Amino acid sequence: MKSAKGCSAPTPRGANATIGRFFHGNIYSQVEHDCRIGDYVTFGPGVRCNGNILIEDHAYVGSGALIRQGSAERPLVIGRGAVIGHGGGGAERRAAGCHRGGQPGPPDPRGLTASTLRRTMSRTFIIFAPSFDENSGGVLVLHRLCDLLNRSGQRALLWPSRHALFNPWRPLHSWHRWRMQRRWYRKHGFYNTFAGFTTPIATPADLDGAIVVYPEKIDGNPLRARHVVRWLLHKPGFHTGRVNYGRNDRYFFFQHAFNDPALNPESDNLLRTVFVRDDVYRQTHSGERSGTCHILRKGAGRVMQHDAANSILIDGMSHQEAAAVFNRVKTCISYDPYTMYSQFAALCGCDSIVLPEEGMTPESWYPDPRDRYGVALGWSGLEEARRTAALLLPHLKQQEQEANASVQRFVDKCEGYFGR
């Protein structure tokens, strides 16, 4: 049996039980064999935690609760932040954040549906992502996916893409390198998360049996995971000029234009997360406008098709700075066909124009006409963009709501691919 720093000592522990940091076990509470107790877990007086149970971080178990025995093959899981009320006899598997009153009260999941509780997976999702950057759409949606998975009752963690990678043939060495690097990143602020999202950081111990989600720009399988999802946030090979994926990878795409049927014949594997910044991007100027601004981003290598010398470059600006420019100029020209900034410009009252790539049509750009609201593909589409500009924000808000259903379909598909 092992206990970590900060653990209160009086709670008896059985063989092979592991207790995390700052565990608080009140009088007459006990932990039996083969249990794993996370960090900042609290047991009330007289709690009986039987064998083969995993209690995740920040859970609370009320006085007199009896947690039923799990099994070595399928440990019973009490999710992160779950609360079991006093006298909760026979407590069984609980989703993250779930509340369960004393016997015989049913679970009150605080916004989680009964079907979500039934389908809560014991498997962990690990999202391979860079440090949070509000100006990078790809980074934002990766962090948002982790957040939405946790909000829906799953267990999801971020793996910082700059961290030392795990080597299963040298696990102790990998663990030591990871801990040292994590301390360095925290001290110097090299890895950031967004305070409004629930995005805990994974450890090497979390990799066992996890489903790892890589964006399409990542080559191979750096974490050597058995279960890999490749999320196509752009067309495969766009960033690197190569496609180096695993034979057994499963594919999801952010939008239909990014899917490659040769890699992924499943045309319904849409996984889209949306975070609308209408708190920043809104029209605040109704007076006269003049001038242009332009967006390069992923279109940085394209030939300039307007007078860039007298135009304001949006790249590198904060959201607040970009919103101020969008509210001042008359026209925004984007060389990146798929950046969200084109829609942000339209929300601020700009004429927003995307310069099409060679051979691009409105239907190949965005097959769903609603995704073209407020934004013109080329100068010829400007009148239609102006006509539909008022429909853009309601459509984005609807997409934000539909993202929850998209994430649940993703979870269901992963259960079918990899099992529970």
Side-chain angles (χ1 to χ4, degrees):
M1 59 187 173
K2 301 175 183 178
S3 61
K5 176 182 176 182
C7 169
S8 57
T11 303
R13 299 181 295 278
N16 299 320
T18 302
I19 292 179
R21 299 176 301 152
F22 301 102
F23 168 74
H24 183 190
N26 276 282
I27 189 170
Y28 301 129
S29 60
Q30 63 185 50
V31 177
E32 291 296 345
H33 63 89
D34 298 298
C35 288
R36 289 170 53 198
I37 311 298
D39 298 339
Y40 301 98
V41 172
T42 298
F43 280 6
V47 170
R48 287 173 289 170
C49 179
N50 287 303
N52 291 297
I53 293 168
L54 168 61
I55 300 182
E56 296 179 346
D57 298 348
H58 300 282
Y60 176 86
V61 184
S63 60
L66 168 64
I67 306 178
R68 291 180 178 173
Q69 174 103 8
S71 67
E73 297 75 26
R74 184 171 170 78
L76 190 148
V77 178
I78 306 297
R80 178 186 175 90
V83 175
I84 298 175
H86 69 276
E92 298 178 348
R93 186 175 301 266
R94 296 288 139 197
C98 172
H99 279 209
R100 185 191 196 279
Q103 193 177 10
D108 173 12
R110 293 194 299 176
L112 300 179
T113 64
S115 63
T116 298
L117 286 174
R118 285 196 300 271
R119 290 182 288 189
T120 295
M121 296 172 61
S122 57
R123 213 184 278 282
T124 297
F125 289 90
I126 293 179
I127 317 301
F128 195 85
S131 178
F132 184 79
D133 179 359
E134 66 174 5
N135 297 312
S136 171
V139 173
L140 194 151
V141 300
L142 288 164
H143 284 243
R144 182 62 166 166
L145 174 62
C146 183
D147 174 60
L148 289 176
L149 285 167
N150 282 312
R151 290 174 186 267
S152 69
Q154 306 303 314
R155 182 172 186 259
L157 309 162
L158 293 176
W159 184 282
S161 56
R162 292 178 61 185
H163 271 186
L165 304 182
F166 181 68
N167 183 349
W169 304 110
R170 302 182 68 190
L172 294 178
H173 176 72
S174 294
W175 174 264
H176 176 70
R177 287 184 62 209
W178 183 89
R179 290 188 65 188
M180 293 295 291
Q181 201 165 16
R182 182 175 67 168
R183 288 192 194 125
W184 176 265
Y185 285 174
R186 284 179 173 174
K187 180 178 179 181
H188 297 281
F190 287 165
Y191 194 83
N192 300 315
T193 57
F194 179 54
F197 292 168
T198 303
T199 49
I201 306 301
T203 70
D206 296 312
L207 288 170
D208 185 26
I211 298 171
V212 174
V213 180
Y214 295 116
E216 88 296 335
K217 63 165 64 175
I218 300 299
D219 281 338
N221 181 8
L223 297 184
R224 298 176 175 85
R226 291 180 57 196
H227 310 299
V228 172
V229 166
R230 194 74 55 173
W231 194 14
L232 307 181
L233 302 179
H234 210 290
K235 297 174 182 178
F238 175 85
H239 293 282
T240 62
R242 59 185 179 273
V243 176
N244 180 20
Y245 304 151
R247 186 173 62 180
N248 297 319
D249 291 3
R250 297 292 184 168
Y251 297 91
F252 289 81
F253 46 86
F254 187 78
Q255 57 189 21
H256 289 278
F258 297 161
N259 188 37
D260 183 346
L263 288 172
N264 173 47
E266 299 185 59
S267 60
D268 61 338
N269 277 14
L270 177 69
L271 174 59
R272 192 164 193 179
T273 62
V274 180
F275 185 49
V276 180
R277 296 301 308 269
D278 57 317
D279 58 326
V280 176
Y281 293 105
R282 61 186 187 277
Q283 186 168 353
T284 58
H285 177 70
S286 56
E288 185 132 353
R289 294 168 176 261
S290 63
T292 65
C293 65
H294 63 286
I295 305 164
L296 296 179
R297 300 182 73 82
K298 296 183 179 71
R302 298 179 62 187
V303 176
M304 302 301 289
Q305 300 180 38
H306 80 293
D307 182 13
N310 296 308
S311 179
I312 302 170
L313 177 62
I314 296 298
D315 294 31
M317 289 187 178
S318 69
H319 285 298
Q320 289 73 17
E321 291 169 337
V325 173
F326 291 152
N327 269 284
R328 190 168 73 244
V329 303
K330 180 175 176 58
T331 307
C332 176
I333 300 168
S334 177
Y335 289 82
D336 181 348
Y338 296 107
T339 179
M340 191 79 175
Y341 280 87
S342 295
Q343 293 168 313
F344 290 158
L347 291 177
C348 293
C350 254
D351 283 341
S352 185
I353 299 169
V354 167
L355 298 179
E357 295 174 342
E358 185 176 354
M360 180 177 282
T361 65
E363 291 72 24
S364 64
W365 175 46
Y366 282 120
D368 187 340
R370 296 174 299 173
D371 293 334
R372 304 195 290 265
Y373 285 166
V375 182
L377 184 66
W379 294 91
S380 61
L382 191 53
E383 288 305 316
E384 178 67 11
R386 289 171 176 167
R387 187 183 67 79
T388 58
L391 303 174
L392 176 59
L393 182 58
H395 176 56
L396 292 176
K397 284 296 188 182
Q398 182 182 355
Q399 284 188 328
E400 198 171 42
Q401 294 298 318
E402 290 172 351
N404 296 321
S406 171
V407 169
Q408 187 56 63
R409 286 194 301 272
F410 166 71
V411 171
D412 292 342
K413 287 256 187 180
C414 286
E415 286 186 13
Y417 293 148
F418 309 119
R420 291 180 62 88

